[in-house]
Amino acid sequence: MQDYMLWARFSTGEERICDCKPLLSRSGFAALKDTEVCNSVYIDYGVTVWCDGEIDISPNELYTNGAKADKDIA
């Protein structure tokens, strides 16, 4: 998604959209300011990762801080 938004579907079938912009101020997520890096996101063993696993975010974090996805948006 655009503007540092991340869409996730969980094993329960629930879908959430997480705004990753607040993470960009943390040093561990600074590389994600580069939209090419941010868009290179993938799932590795159930965890959302970037940069060959150097940056990750837990599924719990995405679920807790994500907003319920509107089917028309996702």
Side-chain angles (χ1 to χ4, degrees), residues 13-74:
E14 293 178 81
E15 298 174 355
R16 301 242 177 199
I17 300 203
C18 187
D19 182 359
C20 293
K21 286 187 296 293
L23 298 174
L24 302 178
S25 63
R26 299 182 192 174
S27 61
F29 292 92
L32 300 183
K33 290 179 184 177
D34 178 337
T35 55
E36 191 172 310
V37 173
C38 189
N39 291 338
S40 71
V41 64
Y42 64 98
I43 304 299
D44 190 14
Y45 294 100
V47 177
T48 305
V49 297
W50 296 264
C51 301
D52 293 326
E54 290 181 28
I55 302 171
D56 64 45
I57 187 167
S58 75
N60 187 52
E61 177 84 11
L62 291 175
Y63 188 85
T64 301
N65 295 315
K68 201 171 195 176
D70 179 347
K71 293 289 183 186
D72 294 334
I73 295 173

